[in-house]
Amino acid sequence: MIKTDSFISPAAALPAAELATLDNGVRVVTVPLPHLRSASVAVFVRTGSRNESAKLNGISHFLEHMAFKGTATRDVQAINLDAERIGADMNAYTSKDTTVYYLNGLGRDAPRMLAMLADVVLQSTFPEDEIARERDVLLQELVEYEEDPQSVVSQLLDVAAYGKQPLARPIIGTRRHIERITREDLVDYVRRHYTGANLVVAAGGAVNAAEMQALAEELFGHVPRGEAAPVETVAHVGGLQSRRRAGISQVYSSIGLPLPTMKDGHQAGVLAATLFGGGMSAPLVDQVRERLGLAYHVASEAETSDVHGLLIVDAITQPDKLMAYLRTVGRLLKEQAAGVDALQLERARNQLLVQAVHKQERPFSAIEAAAEQLFVHGRLIGADEAVAQIEAVTAEQVRAVFETMLRAAPAIGLASRAKVGEVMEALQEGLN
């Protein structure tokens, strides 16, 4: 599975999280939620498409698939049955910066689930026959993405925003990459990236912190420390990337403008995105959909990580409405840069606070947020601090985010059946 976003959320609050660090650098975080009977257990590896070479683009995702295809003690059928016989949901995803393996099940089975994950993450054997079969599966998955206009536009936006930088590479890779990745490539990638410095082992829900920490030491204490994944600065490029697609009657559009990174006070950027298009009463949605009828689907969100931030404005509209839509988006962005409405700021702030509370109440969301905090900040962010960060953002800070965005070149990804007109000019017309 591919996860195309990099932590689209506020800094999530964590209820009474406990952290232990093993001698080899593996961090073990537990979020006990004793009122629950369920649990989520996960292994987070700090590597994704941005850590790949141009030659091996897509290997993180290929490896995520192959981890479940056989270990030193179990074949793929046994791996699947072992999880399902206890009613657990076993899955994984790859994003631009992280690969995640997880199980959701009953709290009583949390130790067993962690042992299963340790087996697939650390003991996979990558049988050649399974590689051949899974390569075909991945090529089928690639076709699905290539036939989905929204997925195509998302990838086009990445290229428009980041050019030839690693962050612009597709998480799934390309057909050429998928066809040439070998078993030796997979083994070497695990050796270099699946190390103590890049691992967070986490459990949340009906779990015993001391028990999970002791088991994590037993299962992961032997992993070589290795080196933490390098963090490289990413530059926003901007520009237009479009693709003609037969079989669609609408225009799929995605606009990107730079936001602060998670290391640079991203709360103001997330608040700006939520204020702009994060609800039916947000200016973007109210104007584009409710008042002007230019699109049925339109929204904005913040995509942020430790090295990048991007305001993403997505819409699906008709070809004859595209130019009016782009001019409207430009005008609305310009209005926010001139001044932020107090009522809209209150709405957006409370939406983020509710999201933070929801994350506290969901075991997997809580440990996912904890892992991201450890990778980015090297520490956990408590509930009170997370709420305080959101509440401390001022209207002037949000306005300044919009002002800074408008000084950058917009990035635009478009997919349409027909040739589109002067897209960038229409957006700039609204901005001016």
Side-chain angles (χ1 to χ4, degrees), residues 109-381:
D109 295 318
R112 190 172 178 177
M113 290 191 288
L114 183 57
M116 292 180 189
L117 287 177
D119 187 40
V120 299
V121 172
L122 302 179
Q123 303 298 328
S124 292
T125 54
F126 312 123
E128 291 284 5
D129 58 338
E130 293 291 347
I131 290 176
R133 272 192 291 269
E134 201 60 26
R135 196 188 310 277
D136 289 339
V137 171
L138 286 165
L139 291 171
Q140 293 176 54
E141 184 181 2
L142 178 63
V143 171
E144 287 190 24
Y145 277 87
E146 290 175 339
E147 292 181 350
D148 174 28
Q150 195 63 64
S151 297
V152 169
V153 165
S154 178
Q155 180 56 42
L156 291 173
L157 178 65
D158 283 342
V159 175
Y162 304 114
K164 296 183 179 180
Q165 298 172 94
L167 204 64
R169 294 173 187 152
I171 295 169
I172 196 171
T174 67
R175 175 173 293 274
R176 178 169 57 92
H177 292 109
I178 293 171
E179 288 177 342
R180 73 182 181 190
I181 290 173
T182 67
R183 182 180 185 279
E184 290 71 24
D185 293 329
L186 296 172
V187 171
D188 183 62
Y189 197 78
V190 169
R191 180 186 61 79
R192 289 186 291 112
H193 295 277
Y194 282 48
T195 60
N198 290 321
L199 293 181
V200 169
V201 177
V207 298
N208 179 284
E211 179 183 25
M212 298 306 290
Q213 289 171 4
L215 183 57
E217 171 74 53
E218 177 185 338
L219 296 171
F220 293 87
H222 68 283
V223 175
R225 172 180 287 273
E227 298 292 334
V231 178
E232 299 180 3
T233 302
V234 176
H236 180 88
V237 176
L240 171 66
Q241 293 285 326
S242 63
R243 185 171 298 176
R244 299 274 295 275
R245 293 186 61 87
I248 61 173
S249 61
Q250 295 180 299
V251 179
Y252 290 74
S253 165
S254 195
I255 301 168
L257 288 161
L259 290 177
T261 72
M262 293 185 70
K263 286 183 174 290
D264 297 326
H266 75 296
Q267 291 85 1
V270 176
L271 192 52
T274 305
L275 183 151
F276 188 62
M280 293 299 293
S281 60
L284 175 70
V285 184
D286 181 61
Q287 285 286 318
V288 169
R289 174 175 166 159
E290 301 300 323
R291 297 181 186 274
L292 300 175
L294 296 175
Y296 170 69
H297 167 73
V298 63
S300 68
E301 62 185 3
E303 179 182 282
T304 61
S305 75
D306 51 351
V307 299
H308 86 293
L310 198 67
L311 172 77
I312 300 175
V313 182
D314 283 324
I316 305 172
T317 186
Q318 295 293 326
D320 62 347
K321 292 181 170 60
L322 176 62
M323 297 306 167
Y325 161 72
L326 292 168
R327 286 192 290 269
T328 301
V329 172
R331 172 176 61 81
L332 293 172
L333 288 167
K334 184 178 178 181
E335 289 176 1
Q336 296 305 316
V340 171
D341 180 78
L343 189 60
Q344 289 289 349
L345 182 63
E346 177 188 12
R347 171 192 59 80
R349 192 192 310 278
N350 285 330
Q351 282 182 270
L352 294 186
L353 291 173
V354 169
Q355 289 177 25
V357 170
H358 282 173
K359 280 185 172 289
Q360 296 178 41
E361 298 171 347
R362 299 168 182 162
F364 183 74
S365 296
I367 61 175
E368 186 180 41
E372 187 72 18
Q373 291 163 1
L374 290 172
F375 286 137
V376 174
H377 303 292
R379 66 183 183 89
L380 297 175
I381 296 175

